[in-house]
Amino acid sequence: EKGGHDYFMLKEIAEQPRAVADTLLGRIDGSGSLRLDEVRIPPHELREVDKVVIVACGTAFHSGMIAKYAIEHWTRIPCETELASEFRYRDPILDQRTLVVAISQSGETMDTLMALRHAREQGAKVLAICNTNGSTIPRESDAVLYTHAGPEVAVASTKAFLTQLVACYLVALYLGQIRGTKWGDEIRTVIRQLSEISGAVEQVLGTMEPVRELARSLAGHDTVLFLGRHVGYPVALEGALKLKELAYMHAEGFAAGELKHGPIALIEDGLPVVVVVPSPRGRSLLHDKVVSNIQEIRARGARTVVIAEEGDEAVVPYADHLIRIPITPTLLQPLVSTVPLQVFACELATARGNDVDQPRNLAKSVTVE
Ligand code: F6R
């Protein structure tokens, strides 16, 4: 049942190209436009949305953080992403023109469910992004966009995360498409690039042996830090979360721009720091800033593990370990940059003798608050 893999997690990591392709299947028509009729919120209502609020927990929250960048860029609708457990105990401002997006693999997470109930009570429309047919969260939502990852058995979320990202991009691009923004041409181009992205995920999976080797060599460390910027920031948080839950190591993700506001004090000789580097194309200013960050931490003794696009030569002098990822549009990069972090955490946990499918103290679906 593990398809020849030692762990479900390894099987599920390997299934990601297919999961991504399946989540796109039937949602892009012959002319390259999105067809999301299954989202039964009529286009005229979606056109009136003036605020998007995303609620989720854990890994699903990280996909929601990335969605914020995509939604605000392609639709120009203000979007906030909030931990479901925080959202429901504040007094959030919502009305009929607010679209609440609840993201959940299991569809049973109590915090997310309570957040969406609270949102509907205030009159907001709720769209669920969910991997489990007929589960509670989609049943209680106004609409649902299913991710087609297939059953996820390992406690640590991998393929569900990538498909949540795909679903979030679909929602962002669809909202952009029906509302018509100045990014119309870019939206059409990105839809085409998204339709081809599963090949890039496959490509990364084929180059993971050095990542596994590196992970094994770090098994004796206590701490690993992760840095990222823009959509690489939630990826850094996700890399740190995977390492905490699987390897039981102290792992923290930071926004690279925050380094000088505190975290840089943590850097000491030999400390492994994983850095997710933005594409040098597009937002090249951000790329250069992150490269300076790598330079700064290395000068203070960090052992740098750099995840950078193919052809990005600027990082080479400062990378103790260099992990290459395929060239993708800036906003889609998390679909490829997350994969090495999953493999890294899984291998490190195994090297430390942990059960990666059943990490201590964790349950696959958290149905209590
Ligand atoms: C991390 C992980 C958890 C879940 C979180 C939300 O690997 O599995 O952080 O992502 O408990 O679960 P769902 O998506 O089922 O609502």
Side-chain angles (χ1 to χ4, degrees), residues 57-60 103-107 109 155-157 164 241-242 245 366:
C57 307
T59 288
I103 309 175
S104 174
Q105 188 286 128
S106 63
T109 300
V155 165
S157 191
Q164 281 159 2
L241 179 61
K242 287 279 108 65
E245 52 183 350
V366 185

Side-chain angles (χ1 to χ4, degrees), residues 52 153 182 186 191 281 320 361:
V52 179
V153 177
K182 66 170 180 172
E186 181 177 319
I191 292 172
R281 302 157 303 108
D320 293 309
N361 309 341

Side-chain angles (χ1 to χ4, degrees), residues 41 45 49 51 53 87 92-101 115-127 140-142:
I41 303 178
E45 279 183 33
V49 167
K51 180 161 96 170
V53 178
F87 173 85
I93 300 164
L94 307 164
D95 59 31
Q96 306 85 293
R97 297 178 68 176
T98 311
L99 177 67
V100 171
V101 180
L116 86 80
R117 282 184 185 157
H118 185 74
R120 290 193 79 193
E121 275 162 22
Q122 317 291 306
K125 283 252 170 303
V126 177
L127 167 67
E140 293 206 14
S141 299
D142 296 285

